[in-house]
Each structure stands twice: as C-alpha cells, then as structure tokens.
C-alpha cells in the first residue's frame, strides 16, 4: 500500500493513515518515529546531497500492523517493498531502523539484525521477519521498528569513521577503521581492521595495520571530506559507516551521532615522557597498568 493509496483511501476530514512503505527521498522518511533512526538519518543525508545507496522503508506503521496480528508472509506491503527496491533483478539488504537506534545517547550498534545478500521474495520476506523479531534479543520487544531496504553493494573496502577521537574526544582527530569488503564484519566485531588517526585534512597521524587493508592517500582524503560533510549536515560529529566501490565511489551507508563527549582541541604546553624510570622506580602495579595512558 503506497502513501498515495492510503491518502486517497482516507475519508474526508479524517487523518490519513501512516504509510507502510516510503522512499528515502520522501520528506516523511526523515521522521524518526515513522522511519526509525537509521533510515531517517539516511533520508536527511540524501536530501542534503550526500551519496547514499538510496532505498525505501517498511515503516513503523507496518511494524505496528504486524504487532497487531498481520502476517509478514503474503503482506502486500512486503511485496511492494520488494518490487520497488528491484528485488526481482538484484540482491537486496534489509537493515533494522529502530526508533531507539542511532541516537546521541545510544547507537545500539549491533543490537538489531541486518540481513545482507537477499535473493528472491521468499528470502526477503524471511529477512523482514528476522529484523522485526530481533527486537526481543535487543531488549526492545514490542517497540516500533522500521525495515530499511537497499540494493546490495559489494565494495572493495568498507569501515567506520568517527568525526572525533572516540577515546579522547579530541575534535581535531578523525578515526578510520577499514576492512576488505563491506563494514559488517568490523561492526560486528568479527575482525579488527586497520586503524588510522587522521587530522581534519586527511593526513595520517597514527596507523595500525592489524588485519585490514592499507588505504591510499586519495581514499583517506575522501573519508576526511565525508566526515566534514556529514558533520555539517547533522550539526555535530558523526559515527559513520562507509564503503568504497571498485570504481572508487565513496558511499555513505549509515550516520549517527557520536556518543563520545566532545572535548575539543587540547591547549597549553605539551610534555614529553620525561624520566619515566625515575618517576616509577618500581614495577607498575596492576591498577597502575590499567590506568596508564601512553604519553
């Protein structure tokens, strides 16, 4: 049931029922209560001209209908979403978009389910059901959730990008972690990925290869520029999921506020490590090791 159909079906003088399916380009998709946090943020990014994968949303109104007893299997909104997303000619992704996800207080990253690489209507129906069911494991059973539907991207590299240092809160630092392929294994904690600390222009301050790829200078600069763009769009530092295709196209997959306290740029003199052996003549205790911060 499209939004136009629900509007047309509303008796004169009564409020139109909430749409069950929305395109991310629709103004209503920016409403968190209808599209959930993840999809609403992408809708805002798309409106601002950032490069996203596009897509559509099975809204919280659809979730409410299922909670009231409607079956996911055979629901006309599910078929509509599948067809409008082009599921008959390409594989899809179904991502959770809860109203309590991707907020400034809590990202809820990894708490809800996303299903990657969906082929065919039956698999899509099962994926939608899986996303809705994931509320229970996340401690949000019965809470409203939307399902973000997008085409599957098979990137060269992907990862996460913080608009501030997530540990120190320094606003003059950008932190990038990257893996080969999409960012899902990194976000789920399956792999560590490489880690870059950048200045706002994309210059490398620190680098740890870990088990991830090495990013070119051009890619690092593009990521720094993306960080600046999303920060302007959302009015503050963001925690971003991104992917770079084999054609070097940089895609914004997700954006949410950082939950780190932003502490700005350090001021005052900078001290070196000094005479550490004289300051700590005895071996560090376990507590001292836990509290130790490298100079």
């Amino acid at each position: 049931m499209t939004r136009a159909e629900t509007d047309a079906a509303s008796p004169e003088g009564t409020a139109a029922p909430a749409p069950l399916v929305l395109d991310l380009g629709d103004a209503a998709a920016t409403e968190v209560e209808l599209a959930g946090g993840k999809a609403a943020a992408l809708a805002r990014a798309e409106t601002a001209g950032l490069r996203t994968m596009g897509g559509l949303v099975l809204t919280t109104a659809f979730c409410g209908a299922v909670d009231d007893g409607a079956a996911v299997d055979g629901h006309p909104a599910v078929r509509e979403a599948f067809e409008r997303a082009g599921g008959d000619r390409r594989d899809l992704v179904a991502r959770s978009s809860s109203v309590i996800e991707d907020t400034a207080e809590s990202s809820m990253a990894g708490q809800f389910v996303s299903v990657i690489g969906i082929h065919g209507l039956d698999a899509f129906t099962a994926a939608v059901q899986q996303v809705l069911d994931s509320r229970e494991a996340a401690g949000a059973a019965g809470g409203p959730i939307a399902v973000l539907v997008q085409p599957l991207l098979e990137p060269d590299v992907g990862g996460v990008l913080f608009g501030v240092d997530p540990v120190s809160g320094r606003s003059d630092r950008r932190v990038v972690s990257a893996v080969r392929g999409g960012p899902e294994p990194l976000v789920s904690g399956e792999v560590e990925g490489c880690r870059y600390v950048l200045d706002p222009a994309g210059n490398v301050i620190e680098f740890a290869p870990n088990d991830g790829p090495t990013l070119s200078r051009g890619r690092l600069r593009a990521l720094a520029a993306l960080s600046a763009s999303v920060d302007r769009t959302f009015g503050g530092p963001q925690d971003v999921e991104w992917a770079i295709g084999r054609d070097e196209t940089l895609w914004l997959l997700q954006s949410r506020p950082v939950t780190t306290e932003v502490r700005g740029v350090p001021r005052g003199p900078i001290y070196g490590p000094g005479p550490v052996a004289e300051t700590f003549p005895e071996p560090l205790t376990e507590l001292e090791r836990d509290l130790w911060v490298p100079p």
Side-chain angles (χ1 to χ4, degrees):
M1 199 175 203
T2 65
R3 188 177 188 191
E5 288 170 340
T6 56
D7 288 349
S10 303
E12 187 174 353
T14 63
L20 304 185
V21 182
L22 275 178
D23 189 274
L24 282 184
D26 193 307
T30 62
E31 300 173 13
V32 173
E33 294 305 314
L34 187 59
K38 188 179 299 179
L42 278 180
R44 285 183 61 186
E46 187 169 304
T47 299
L50 298 178
R51 185 179 285 112
T52 74
M53 293 297 298
L56 49 85
V57 186
L58 280 161
T59 68
T60 55
F62 168 77
C63 170
V66 173
D67 289 345
D68 288 340
V72 172
D73 189 10
H75 199 292
V78 173
R79 175 174 286 279
E80 179 186 344
F82 178 78
E83 292 175 351
R84 287 172 59 181
D88 55 344
R89 61 182 184 276
R90 60 187 179 187
D91 289 353
L92 302 175
V93 173
R95 302 183 187 275
S96 65
S97 185
S98 169
V99 298
I100 62 172
E101 228 175 334
D102 298 349
T103 68
E105 291 74 31
S106 174
S107 70
M108 297 290 289
Q111 299 300 303
F112 299 94
V113 165
S114 291
V115 183
I116 313 298
I118 304 165
H119 183 77
L121 179 58
D122 290 345
F124 178 71
T125 301
V128 170
Q129 185 71 65
Q130 192 175 349
V131 172
L132 298 182
D133 291 345
S134 70
R135 291 176 292 170
E136 184 171 355
I145 191 172
V147 182
L148 172 63
V149 183
Q150 295 182 291
L152 175 66
L153 174 68
E154 296 182 354
D156 184 40
V157 295
V160 297
L161 163 66
F162 290 91
V164 298
D165 188 316
V167 176
S168 69
R170 288 186 62 160
S171 58
D172 61 341
R173 298 289 184 265
R174 310 289 181 261
V175 177
V176 173
S177 295
V179 294
R180 295 172 182 84
E184 291 79 16
L186 180 65
V187 175
S188 65
E190 296 175 29
V191 297
E192 190 172 1
C194 65
R195 182 179 184 272
Y196 288 87
V197 178
L198 310 175
D199 69 13
N203 298 308
V204 178
I205 298 170
E206 297 176 20
F207 171 60
N210 301 320
D211 54 3
T214 300
L215 301 181
S216 69
R217 177 82 170 141
R219 287 180 169 185
L220 292 173
R221 285 180 172 176
L223 287 166
L226 174 63
S227 179
S229 296
V230 295
D231 288 4
R232 286 193 300 270
T233 298
F234 294 98
Q238 296 288 294
D239 169 3
V240 165
E241 290 182 27
W242 55 270
I244 298 176
R246 292 177 176 83
D247 61 354
E248 294 301 316
T249 301
L250 173 57
W251 298 96
L252 173 65
L253 302 181
Q254 187 172 333
S255 185
R256 52 188 171 239
V258 296
T259 55
T260 302
E261 179 186 355
V262 181
R263 297 185 175 93
V265 181
R267 304 293 181 189
I270 299 176
Y271 298 97
V276 175
E278 295 177 15
T279 306
F280 298 97
E282 301 295 331
L284 297 179
T285 66
E286 184 175 348
L287 177 59
E288 287 170 333
R289 286 197 299 271
D290 288 343
L291 297 177
W292 178 260
V293 176

